[in-house]
Amino acid sequence: DEPAWAKNGSYQAVRLIRHFVEFWDRTPMQEQTDIFGRRKYSGAPMDGKKEGDTADFAKDPDGKITPKDSHMRIANPRDPEFMKKHLLYRRAFNYSRGLAANGQLDVGLVFICYQANLADGFIFVQNLLNGEPLEEYISPFGGGYFFVLPGVEKGSFLGKELLGI
């Protein structure tokens, strides 16, 4: 349903998420690991050795290695059909703004993702995450949705189709 100038563009979702680190740090390490579905010190999936390893949930259908309600398993169940429809490319950046007015650390993530369709990408995955155990340790407080123009081919320029030139 997009206009011709939007062809091959992307939708960007940005979310600002504050982490309640003082509360998180009082949570037992095994519970932290279960909540994320990754090992705390290496970042590796529970069935992997390093952060870049891909979890194999098919080998753990009952969630004995990686809990079924872990953040990484809910957000990306590693199912080919799921990924085909709900694919998004994501990146998170840490931020630190010192101390908040209440004396606690003001730290968190700027989460950014790109997808062809917001409803099938970010919004769908975010709805899956509603009610996850991680929710009590974070608080989204800002962000937005944006359209990113398609890339530029040699001899052209950004927004050429939008400007009708």
Side-chain angles (χ1 to χ4, degrees):
D1 298 341
E2 303 297 339
W5 60 263
K7 185 176 184 214
N8 296 322
S10 298
Y11 287 96
Q12 179 189 59
V14 177
R15 189 162 222 195
L16 307 173
I17 306 167
R18 180 154 182 232
H19 287 190
F20 303 127
V21 292
E22 291 87 355
F23 181 38
W24 179 255
D25 286 345
R26 289 191 301 270
T27 303
M29 190 175 328
Q30 184 59 53
E31 188 175 341
Q32 292 179 10
T33 299
D34 289 346
I35 288 170
F36 265 103
R38 290 188 173 273
R39 299 181 190 285
K40 183 169 183 167
Y41 293 109
S42 67
M46 299 308 296
D47 62 350
K49 298 206 183 307
K50 53 189 187 308
E51 187 175 7
D53 291 348
T54 300
D56 188 352
F57 299 141
K59 290 183 179 176
D60 180 29
D62 298 324
K64 291 182 178 168
I65 298 169
T66 305
K68 287 185 158 192
D69 65 349
S70 68
H71 180 78
M72 78 173 290
R73 192 166 186 154
I74 295 171
N76 183 353
R78 306 290 194 260
D79 174 271
E81 287 304 310
F82 176 92
M83 293 305 297
K84 192 179 205 178
K85 183 167 184 182
H86 306 294
L87 180 67
L88 50 88
Y89 294 98
R90 63 174 194 69
R91 175 79 164 109
F93 299 91
N94 295 314
Y95 77 82
S96 176
R97 300 189 309 179
L99 294 177
N102 64 3
Q104 294 187 329
L105 291 171
D106 186 356
V107 298
L109 287 176
V110 177
F111 176 86
I112 303 169
C113 66
Y114 297 89
Q115 58 269 295
N117 179 309
L118 281 167
D120 288 338
F122 177 77
I123 295 169
F124 180 85
V125 172
Q126 198 57 50
N127 284 330
L128 292 176
L129 293 169
N130 285 340
E132 71 168 323
L134 182 60
E135 276 188 350
E136 69 181 290
Y137 299 96
I138 63 173
S139 179
F141 67 92
Y145 302 136
F146 306 93
F147 180 76
V148 180
L149 290 170
V152 180
E153 293 185 23
K154 189 173 182 175
S156 189
F157 58 90
L158 187 64
K160 180 178 177 182
E161 291 78 16
L162 174 63
L163 298 173
I165 298 173

